[in-house]
């Protein structure tokens, strides 16, 4: 008996020892065999010789493409896969190109991409943010041979995108890399109105009841939160999502911006600065420390996730937060109404120190912010059809289709204005517009097309949402934010290592000072630590990247 | 030479005698060769700048760069310390618990109660880790269950997962809660095998139940305990990252950040395959050394060992 047991234990042991190795090494096939299906599609394009000319859709081809992309979080729980979503079915019909979808688990796109690339078995098309989520950025992705450089292909087969980029040189500059390579079919916010969608949110009904104005300065905020706590019995007057980082949405400079800094890099007086190493950041930490000690911030601030904030909002424990017009005001309004029908949520301006100042920072995306973009992998040997297919989103017909879906089904033209139908806005299956729109169109999130302002005008169904966007727009963020810059492929791993260590330190410093584990006087020693982690080198890399960008 | 000859002859004779047994072994051997030994050459990417498009053999050599990066990392000491501490604490506090439980269950006479206890204690093992961590987070919140109990006793509620000094206790206590029943199974099985006559003899000699436990039951399962301990040593540096990353936050990094969570943040999210392999290899080597040492000591001391 003992012997049997012993030998079986040996086997168990051996296998556990080796599991680590097998998971590292099993991926040794370097050949590009991701496109078994598209051999049949060779040279079947309708107009092979007529490069640069308009494409007629649907294309006549039997080429089948594999398409890797995350399904939008709003559809999670509504539809299980791309294939079930009417939009993706129609997209194939309209372009005439068949797609076979591969979707990573929602929210894990980056990890899944990591494994996918390591396997070397690439799909034909990637919907992935190579600028933001791929270390080393698009230049490296091209150099390492994952994705195609698209310059010639766009010239020849993507007349719509080419025309758009020629007409918009500012955006053109963002969409290419430092060396002038195109790498993706971009998602473009077609109007200033679409670039701002997030900011501080507060319960106007409480303010009115207490006779307080919508707070503008930090002092007014303190007073307001205090009143919420004392007179409204809010146990967590201000709560925010802290996943993955503490006060995640402060990355854009909400509240921190009052002290003239943000949580990342920004430009000021021709110099690149790192917010958490600037003196203003200390003032922000001090303020939040006081708020925390006074009980004005959620006690579970360090661990609160979206669910926790939602439930604080719904139960009336919280009267203010930072969130989006759609996912914040829209969602919370409905949540609270269930308990308290009088509720009115409004957008408050980004706080400043002195009344009348313009906030220095606030959420403001660039016209091109690199999410929801589609790149073509090197596995696709005959990319013409794919390029023509992806160009569809920038055509006039494709513009309507991507933003509003199919006429007669998801929208009707009323005096030339595309109006979403009740199928989307008052869905019979009780789906919210945020869930129903992505079933038929991509206007409410992203993808390879130019977003239309008329989507937002309808999506923000409440007047308070539309007003909030206008309130939040009033910042100087455009002046201080950095454009989409990237380190060179050579510098990228050095930069990533430095920033990984520094951001860990910043997160730790922020929480320890705010929650009272460290005194605010420790701030300087943290900054010294950042310097020893080579912060200056990181700033240097960013400055060089900015210079290269400006020279594009 | 003569020795080898005779060995060869013995093998041939044995093969002829038991040829079907050997045939039956082929799939097992093939499994290990294909899935465990062959992939091991992939560990070589720890010494390369791995690029999937170039393949394992085609990637450029990087020498010991990734190891140096790891050892020189600003947080190296802290994560090594945390890894070892969490391991050692769970060895000290978690490892003996299933043994105690097994001994207690063994003393219970009522069969129904015995079965019930066993089932209930090993149930948590089957709950998904994500769910467990969700439960832990909710319970330890400032207004969570545990804090409400404390508040009844007049203490102030505080978010426990925001206290660096509480991270390890929470981690280990929940570990005990989740694994105690499951891990006790092997001890209970071993207890079944103890010769009942020994107990009778002891009773004749006037030993009470406690004495019987100390002098018969415990010595009876010492070999199993030793082997489980050796196995445990072999995993000393493997603190699973899933539970850590589900429970930690920046304020508890100083006590919670371990090698695997660090590698997750740095290697996996940054696409650093070679770097992660280097750390993995480092981990495996240390574990192997620990395992061999523990086995050696155990062989000397208790005469029971894996080989």
């Amino acid at each position: 008996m003992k012997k049997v047991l012993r030998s079986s234990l040996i086997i168990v042991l051996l296998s556990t020892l080796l599991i680590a190795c097998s998971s590292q090494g099993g991926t040794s096939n370097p050949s590009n065999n991701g496109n078994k299906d598209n051999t049949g599609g060779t040279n079947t394009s309708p107009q092979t010789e007529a490069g640069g000319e308009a494409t007629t859709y649907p294309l006549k081809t039997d080429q089948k493409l594999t398409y890797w992309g995350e399904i939008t979080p709003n559809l999670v729980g509504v539809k299980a896969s791309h294939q079930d979503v009417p939009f993706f079915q129609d997209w194939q019909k309209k372009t005439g190109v068949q797609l076979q979808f591969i979707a990573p688990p929602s929210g894990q796109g980056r990890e899944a991409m990591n494994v996918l690339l390591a396997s070397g078995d690439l799909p034909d098309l990637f919907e992935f943010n190579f600028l933001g989520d791929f270390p080393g950025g698009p230049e490296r992705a091209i150099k390492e041979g994952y994705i195609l450089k698209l310059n010639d292909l766009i010239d020849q087969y993507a007349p719509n995108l080419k025309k758009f980029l020629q007409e918009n040189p500012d955006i053109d500059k963002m969409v290419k890399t430092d060396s002038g390579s195109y790498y993706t079919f971009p998602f473009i916010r077609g109007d200033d109105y679409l670039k701002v969608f997030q900011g501080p949110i507060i319960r106007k009904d409480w303010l009115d009841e207490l006779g307080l104005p919508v707070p503008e300065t930090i002092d007014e905020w303190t007073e307001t939160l205090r009143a919420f706590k004392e007179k409204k019995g809010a146990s967590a007057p201000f709560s925010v999502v802290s996943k993955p980082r503490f006060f995640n949405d402060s990355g854009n400079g909400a509240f921190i911006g009052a002290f003239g800094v943000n949580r990342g890099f920004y430009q000021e007086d021709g110099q690149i600065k790192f917010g958490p190493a600037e003196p203003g950041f200390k003032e922000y930490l001090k303020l939040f420390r006081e708020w925390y000690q006074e009980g004005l911030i959620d006690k579970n601030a360090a661990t609160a996730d979206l669910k926790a904030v939602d439930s604080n909002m719904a139960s009336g424990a919280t009267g203010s937060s930072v969130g989006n017009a759609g996912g914040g005001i829209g969602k919370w309004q409905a949540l609270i109404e269930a308990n308290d029908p009088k509720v009115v949520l409004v957008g408050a301006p980004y706080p400043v120190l002195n009344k009348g100042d313009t906030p220095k920072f606030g959420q403001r995306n660039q016209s091109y912010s690199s999410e929801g973009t589609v790149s073509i992998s090197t596995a696709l040997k005959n990319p013409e059809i794919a390029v023509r297919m992806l160009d569809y989103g920038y055509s006039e017909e494709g513009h309507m289709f991507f933003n509003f879906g199919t006429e007669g089904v998801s929208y009707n033209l009323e005096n030339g204005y595309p109006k979403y139908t009740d199928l989307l806005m008052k869905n019979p299956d009780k789906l919210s517009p945020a869930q129903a729109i992505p079933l038929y169109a991509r206007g409410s999130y992203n993808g390879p097309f130019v977003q239309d302002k008329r989507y937002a005008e309808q999506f923000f169904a409440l007047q308070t949402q539309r007003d909030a966007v206008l309130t939040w727009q009033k910042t100087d963020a455009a002046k201080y934010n950095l454009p989409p810059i990237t380190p060179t492929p050579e510098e990228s791993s050095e930069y990533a290592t430095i920033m990984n260590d520094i951001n860990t330190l910043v997160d730790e410093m922020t929480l320890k000072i705010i929650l009272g584990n460290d005194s605010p006087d420790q701030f300087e020693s943290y900054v010294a630590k950042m310097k020893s982690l080579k912060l200056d080198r990181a700033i240097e890399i960013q400055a060089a990247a900015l210079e290269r960008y400006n020279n594009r | 030479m003569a020795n080898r000859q005779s060995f060869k002859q013995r093998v041939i004779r044995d093969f002829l005698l038991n040829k079907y047994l050997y045939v039956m072994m082929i799939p097992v051997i093939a499994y290990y060769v294909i899935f465990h030994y062959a992939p091991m050459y992939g560990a070589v990417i720890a010494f390369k700048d791995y690029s999937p498009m170039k393949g394992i053999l085609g990637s450029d050599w990087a020498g010991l760069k990734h190891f140096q990066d790891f050892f020189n990392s600003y947080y190296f000491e802290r994560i090594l310390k945390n890894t070892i501490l969490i391991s050692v604490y769970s060895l000290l506090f978690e490892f003996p618990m299933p043994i105690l439980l097994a001994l207690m269950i063994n003393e219970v006479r009522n069969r129904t109660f015995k079965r019930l206890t066993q089932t209930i204690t090993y149930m948590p093992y089957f709950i998904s880790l994500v769910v467990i961590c969700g439960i832990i987070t909710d319970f330890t919140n400032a207004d969570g269950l545990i804090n409400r109990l404390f508040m009844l006793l007049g203490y102030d509620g505080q978010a426990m997962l925001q206290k660096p000094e509480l991270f390890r206790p929470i981690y280990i206590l929940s570990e005990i809660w989740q694994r105690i029943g499951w891990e006790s199974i092997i001890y209970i099985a071993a207890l079944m095998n103890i010769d009942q006559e020994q107990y009778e003899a002891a009773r004749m000699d006037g030993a009470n139940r406690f004495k019987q436990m100390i002098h018969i039951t415990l010595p009876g399962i010492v070999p199993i305990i030793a082997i489980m301990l050796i196995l445990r040593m072999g995993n000393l540096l493997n603190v699973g990252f899933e539970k850590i990353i589900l429970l930690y936050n920046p304020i508890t990094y100083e006590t919670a950040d371990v090698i695997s969570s660090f590698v997750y943040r740095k290697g996996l999210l940054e696409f650093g395959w070679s770097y992660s392999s280097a750390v993995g290899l480092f981990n495996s080597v240390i574990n192997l050394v620990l395992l061999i040492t523990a086995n050696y000591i155990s062989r000397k001391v208790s005469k029971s060992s894996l080989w």
Side-chain angles (χ1 to χ4, degrees):
Chain A
M1 174 63 202
K2 214 162 91 183
K3 261 195 179 153
V4 175
L5 188 64
R6 193 174 299 177
S7 45
S8 60
L9 283 173
I10 291 173
I11 291 168
V12 170
L13 163 86
L14 282 174
S15 51
T16 45
L17 261 184
L18 297 176
I19 277 168
C21 302
S22 57
S23 56
Q24 288 158 13
T27 56
S28 56
N29 189 353
S31 64
N32 307 332
N33 47 7
N35 56 333
K36 292 153 203 126
D37 300 325
N38 57 33
T39 37
T42 318
N43 296 326
T44 49
S45 126
Q47 350 174 307
T48 9
E49 74 293 345
E53 271 178 34
T55 316
T56 1
Y57 298 99
L59 299 163
K60 288 180 186 56
T61 176
D62 53 5
Q63 192 176 14
K64 206 171 174 185
L65 302 173
T66 48
Y67 185 103
W68 185 96
E70 219 175 308
I71 206 158
T72 174
N74 280 325
L75 283 182
V76 171
V78 181
K79 292 286 178 195
S81 72
H82 287 91
Q83 211 57 256
D84 302 335
V85 176
F87 172 83
F88 289 101
Q89 295 163 358
D90 294 345
W91 191 22
Q92 298 175 55
K93 269 184 231 146
K94 298 214 177 207
T95 58
V97 182
Q98 284 184 61
L99 299 174
Q100 192 189 338
F101 293 97
I102 309 164
S106 179
Q108 294 173 30
R110 202 166 160 173
E111 285 93 331
M113 178 56 99
N114 189 325
V115 176
L116 184 76
L117 293 185
S119 77
D121 191 5
L122 305 180
D124 300 330
L125 304 173
F126 293 113
E127 186 180 320
F128 185 70
N129 183 350
F130 275 98
L131 184 67
D133 288 344
F134 183 76
E139 295 258 18
R140 190 169 147 227
I142 294 175
K143 204 175 127 201
E144 299 247 306
Y146 299 121
I147 58 174
L148 291 177
K149 181 173 167 172
L150 299 175
N151 295 37
D152 295 343
L153 291 167
I154 290 179
D155 277 348
Q156 286 177 40
Y157 307 122
N160 299 315
L161 175 61
K162 195 177 147 102
K163 181 162 163 263
F164 178 83
L165 293 176
Q166 273 170 351
E167 284 165 5
N168 297 278
D170 289 359
I171 295 176
D172 183 52
K173 198 168 154 184
M174 294 181 193
V175 170
K176 45 187 185 199
T177 66
D178 291 336
S179 65
S181 308
Y182 293 106
Y183 58 94
T184 197
F185 285 81
F187 170 62
I188 289 158
R189 294 173 202 280
D191 193 286
D192 259 0
Y193 188 79
L194 298 163
K195 294 177 191 169
V196 176
F197 45 79
Q198 185 183 74
I201 294 170
I202 197 160
R203 282 193 65 168
K204 184 81 168 52
D205 56 320
W206 285 8
L207 290 176
D208 290 346
E209 207 182 310
L210 299 166
L212 292 166
V214 174
E216 287 170 24
T217 65
I218 290 290
D219 290 340
E220 284 175 3
W221 268 93
T222 311
E223 230 172 90
T224 308
L225 294 178
R226 219 173 262 156
F228 280 3
K229 186 179 167 65
E230 285 158 8
K231 300 192 182 124
K232 294 303 302 177
S235 59
F238 181 75
S239 54
V240 282
V241 176
S242 288
K243 298 271 166 181
R245 301 181 69 181
F246 172 72
F247 193 176
N248 206 37
D249 293 331
S250 68
N252 294 314
F255 291 87
I256 306 184
F259 304 99
V261 296
N262 69 2
R263 201 180 53 188
F265 290 98
Y266 61 93
Q267 52 180 337
E268 187 168 26
D269 308 329
Q271 271 188 318
I272 297 237
K273 289 184 173 169
F274 184 62
E278 299 292 320
F281 202 78
K282 184 179 177 183
E283 300 306 312
Y284 152 72
L285 294 178
K286 274 184 176 162
L287 172 78
F288 268 56
R289 184 187 167 91
E290 279 162 27
W291 282 5
Y292 182 79
Q293 277 169 354
E294 230 188 294
L296 303 182
I297 303 181
D298 182 10
K299 267 192 211 154
N300 301 311
T303 51
D305 56 9
L306 189 59
K307 248 181 15 230
V309 176
D310 284 352
S311 83
N312 276 346
M313 274 287 175
S315 68
T318 291
S320 61
S321 182
V322 174
N324 292 357
I329 297 184
K331 182 172 70 174
W332 291 329
Q333 180 79 28
L335 271 180
I336 310 172
E337 261 170 17
N339 303 330
D340 186 353
K342 290 190 315 266
V343 64
V344 183
L345 284 170
V346 296
Y350 281 94
V352 291
L353 275 189
N354 304 308
K355 215 167 175 97
D357 286 358
T358 306
K360 190 165 165 183
F361 290 102
Q363 179 272 331
R364 185 186 187 83
N365 279 30
Q366 309 279 354
S367 302
Y368 169 66
S369 54
S370 71
E371 76 274 7
T373 62
V374 182
S375 300
I376 301 181
S377 95
T378 50
L380 184 57
K381 290 289 168 266
N382 181 32
E384 182 194 329
I385 289 291
V387 173
R388 287 194 187 277
M389 185 230 165
L390 291 170
D391 191 42
Y392 180 66
Y394 310 95
S395 70
E396 236 162 80
E397 189 195 334
H399 179 80
M400 294 306 281
F401 172 63
F402 267 86
N403 279 292
F404 306 104
T406 310
E407 189 171 3
V409 180
S410 57
Y411 76 94
N412 290 316
L413 274 180
E414 288 175 17
N415 302 326
Y417 190 96
K419 208 153 172 24
Y420 285 127
T421 57
D422 281 353
L423 181 64
L424 274 58
M425 301 312 285
K426 293 184 190 109
N427 187 273
D429 297 328
K430 300 249 183 296
L431 296 173
S432 68
Q435 291 170 312
I437 294 175
L439 283 177
Y440 297 95
R442 295 191 69 162
S444 61
Y445 58 116
N446 53 39
F449 68 103
V450 181
Q451 198 179 25
D452 195 309
K453 184 186 173 184
R454 290 172 292 183
Y455 124 77
E457 290 169 351
Q458 300 174 68
F459 180 63
F460 297 150
L462 304 167
Q463 185 60 37
T464 50
Q465 290 176 307
R466 292 189 286 266
D467 292 346
V469 171
L470 294 176
T471 311
W472 295 334
Q473 274 179 357
K474 290 178 200 126
T475 66
D476 283 338
K479 195 165 126 201
Y480 296 103
N481 280 351
L482 292 173
I485 56 177
T486 39
T488 65
E490 292 74 32
E491 289 165 343
S492 68
S493 94
E494 185 190 1
Y495 177 77
T497 306
I498 296 175
M499 285 322 291
N500 197 305
D501 286 349
I502 289 185
N503 282 330
T504 306
L505 190 70
V506 168
D507 289 345
E508 224 175 313
M509 164 181 89
T510 308
L511 272 175
K512 283 190 156 177
I513 294 184
I514 291 176
L515 302 197
N517 298 36
D518 277 346
S519 108
D521 297 332
Q522 301 252 287
F523 178 78
E524 281 76 19
S525 76
Y526 276 111
V527 175
K529 264 186 227 163
M530 286 180 217
K531 301 257 181 210
S532 75
L533 287 172
K534 297 200 231 158
L535 174 62
D536 293 335
R537 172 71 185 136
I539 291 180
E540 200 180 299
I541 292 174
Q542 286 287 67
L546 180 62
E547 205 186 311
R548 283 194 306 275
Y549 177 85
N550 290 333
N551 291 336
R552 275 181 198 176
Chain B
M1 219 41 198
N3 237 342
R4 229 180 113 188
Q5 278 284 342
S6 71
F7 174 71
K8 201 172 162 187
Q9 280 164 357
R10 267 188 306 171
V11 169
I12 290 171
R13 211 180 55 207
D14 193 49
F15 182 76
L16 289 175
L17 272 174
N18 302 314
K19 48 179 175 281
Y20 294 110
L21 284 181
Y22 278 95
V23 171
M24 281 166 70
M25 262 179 72
I26 289 174
V28 180
I29 294 172
Y31 168 79
Y32 276 99
V33 170
I34 294 170
F35 291 107
H36 292 297
Y37 283 87
M40 264 206 269
Y41 93 99
V44 78
I45 67 171
F47 304 97
K48 291 189 158 199
D49 276 327
Y50 176 58
S51 161
M53 291 294 124
K54 293 182 187 160
I56 293 180
L57 295 176
S59 297
D60 305 325
W61 287 99
L64 293 175
K65 188 178 90 184
H66 302 295
F67 290 91
Q68 277 164 357
D69 278 357
F70 178 55
F71 296 136
N72 292 334
S73 154
Y74 181 71
Y75 298 104
F76 175 68
E77 275 172 41
R78 181 168 86 179
I79 58 176
L80 190 67
K81 188 184 117 198
N82 285 338
T83 311
I84 292 174
L85 278 181
I86 288 185
S87 279
V88 168
Y89 286 152
S90 54
L91 200 62
L92 284 179
F93 298 107
E94 193 224 320
F95 182 74
M97 291 303 158
I99 303 174
L100 287 178
L101 181 72
L103 289 176
M104 289 196 282
I105 288 180
N106 191 46
E107 296 299 319
V108 171
R109 292 250 168 96
N110 182 331
R111 284 180 69 93
T112 323
F113 180 71
K114 204 167 170 172
R115 291 259 167 89
L116 199 67
T117 319
Q118 268 183 279
T119 313
I120 289 173
T121 50
Y122 71 62
M123 212 62 106
Y125 183 82
F126 297 102
I127 304 176
S128 149
L129 194 58
V130 180
V131 178
I132 299 267
C133 291
I135 296 176
I136 296 172
T137 314
D138 276 352
F139 278 18
T140 55
N141 259 349
D143 45 7
L145 181 82
I146 298 174
N147 274 308
R148 298 222 165 184
L149 291 177
F150 278 130
M151 277 186 241
L152 286 181
L153 300 171
Y155 291 98
D156 265 351
Q158 48 176 325
M160 295 171 139
L161 283 174
Q162 292 177 18
K163 296 269 164 190
E165 65 272 20
L166 288 181
F167 184 84
R168 288 181 198 133
I170 291 173
Y171 181 91
I172 287 167
L173 282 173
S174 58
E175 196 82 340
I176 293 175
W177 173 75
Q178 193 183 6
R179 309 184 68 104
I180 185 166
W182 181 256
E183 287 178 356
S184 69
I185 291 177
I186 197 161
Y187 300 111
I188 292 172
L191 287 171
M192 303 282 187
N193 280 326
I194 295 173
D195 192 352
Q196 290 302 317
E197 284 176 16
Q198 291 188 30
Y199 289 105
E200 269 170 45
R203 273 198 292 275
M204 302 276 254
D205 293 341
N208 62 23
R209 284 185 72 106
F210 186 70
K211 281 203 166 150
Q212 286 174 31
M213 191 176 85
I214 298 291
H215 296 291
I216 298 170
T217 318
L218 261 183
I221 57 168
V222 158
I224 296 289
I225 297 179
I227 285 170
M228 294 305 281
L229 192 65
I230 296 169
L231 286 177
R232 200 53 186 262
M233 295 301 288
N235 281 321
L236 197 67
L237 285 188
N238 290 355
V239 176
F241 74 97
E242 299 95 338
K243 190 163 173 191
I244 300 272
I245 61 169
L246 285 167
L247 289 179
Y248 76 175
N249 59 65
I251 204 167
T252 50
Y253 278 171
E254 57 173 285
T255 53
D257 201 10
V258 296
I259 294 179
S260 53
S261 56
F262 178 76
V263 169
Y264 168 78
R265 282 206 312 276
K266 187 151 178 153
L268 204 62
L269 291 179
E270 296 296 336
F271 296 60
W273 300 296
S274 291
Y275 186 85
S276 333
S277 301
V279 179
L281 197 61
F282 165 77
N283 242 356
S284 301
V285 169
I286 302 271
N287 282 337
L288 186 66
V289 171
L290 285 171
L291 179 85
I292 291 171
T293 319
N295 192 52
Y296 176 80
I297 295 172
S298 167
R299 194 165 58 211
K300 289 279 164 200
V301 176
S302 77
K303 302 270 187 275
S304 56
S305 64
L306 283 171
W307 64 84

